[in-house]
Amino acid sequence: MRKLKNEELERLEISEFKTAEKSPIIIILDNIRSLNNIGSVFRTSDAFLIEKIYLCGITAQPPHNDIRKTALGSTETVAWEYAENTLDIIEKLKTENIKICAIEQAENATMLNDFEPQPNAKYAFVFGNEVKGVAQNVVDASDVVIEIPQYGTKHSLNISVSCGVVVWDVFSKMKRSN
């Protein structure tokens, strides 16, 4: 096998990305501290044609060198918006019939491998602070809580890793059902 060169990957140009049909997935970042994590989420969002990212609370906003370093240009492609209050965004999205899914360890959470996205539904996935996770009031306002099964000694994954795992899983399930 030969590794493909970048020019062989047939990636979209920025203008093509902006007009491409997006995945029915929105990302909400609830008080993320790490600028590198934010940049990584932008990069994952670009890879899977995510509709939009909401940066909430203390989550930093582009342009910022540390975001740019890991985003590798994806802050120029993926739509984003800042909101001071995560709950305001959740309430707004609910009025648009978007299902809110907190990614958290909680009582009665649905394991990611058991989560089946509904056809023609749009989802917003909330990822929380690196130390405290998704705020309890945000968990309470969510339609479903999804947990990533873990089997080791640690109790959590890095937020950018969690985002990649969830987005890839849900994107794959959506593609399979189409």
Side-chain angles (χ1 to χ4, degrees):
M1 277 190 247
R2 176 185 65 83
K3 282 178 47 174
L4 295 176
K5 296 180 175 142
N6 282 346
E7 56 271 11
E8 295 176 285
L9 296 176
E10 299 179 20
R11 299 291 190 229
L12 299 175
E13 297 293 328
I14 291 175
S15 60
E16 294 172 312
F17 183 96
K18 298 256 187 206
T19 60
E21 182 179 347
K22 303 297 186 285
S23 304
I25 298 172
I26 294 168
I27 303 294
I28 301 172
L29 298 182
D30 181 31
N31 292 300
I32 303 303
R33 299 177 316 162
S34 166
L35 301 169
N36 291 326
N37 281 338
I38 297 164
S40 291
V41 169
F42 268 94
R43 198 159 152 196
T44 295
S45 298
D46 177 278
F48 294 100
L49 288 167
I50 299 306
E51 183 176 304
K52 190 171 194 176
I53 299 172
Y54 286 95
L55 308 169
C56 302
I58 66 166
T59 307
Q61 306 159 55
H64 193 289
N65 283 342
D66 287 337
I67 293 174
R68 190 171 42 87
K69 183 171 50 176
T70 50
L72 293 180
S74 56
T75 58
E76 304 302 316
T77 55
V78 179
W80 65 272
E81 181 179 327
Y82 174 77
E84 187 173 332
N85 189 315
T86 306
L87 285 177
D88 291 344
I89 292 301
I90 287 173
E91 292 309 316
K92 172 186 171 272
L93 295 177
K94 281 186 168 191
T95 66
E96 299 170 17
N97 293 319
I98 296 170
K99 305 292 182 214
I100 309 299
C101 306
I103 309 304
E104 189 55 85
Q105 298 164 329
E107 294 174 339
N108 302 312
T110 300
M111 292 297 149
L112 178 60
N113 48 303
D114 295 328
F115 177 74
E116 287 299 329
Q118 299 303 303
N120 304 313
K122 190 179 287 189
Y123 293 90
F125 296 99
V126 184
F127 297 90
N129 178 275
E130 292 89 343
V131 174
K132 298 178 182 177
V134 178
Q136 184 63 54
N137 62 350
V138 173
V139 170
D140 294 340
S142 298
D143 297 307
V144 65
V145 177
I146 298 173
E147 182 175 336
I148 301 169
Q150 299 171 54
Y151 304 100
T153 61
K154 300 300 172 195
H155 300 289
S156 66
L157 293 167
N158 179 283
I159 184 270
S160 64
V161 171
S162 294
C163 182
V165 167
V166 170
V167 169
W168 178 84
D169 182 78
V170 173
F171 182 88
S172 297
K173 289 172 180 174
M174 288 176 167
K175 282 288 193 196
R176 191 175 57 230
S177 67
N178 285 342

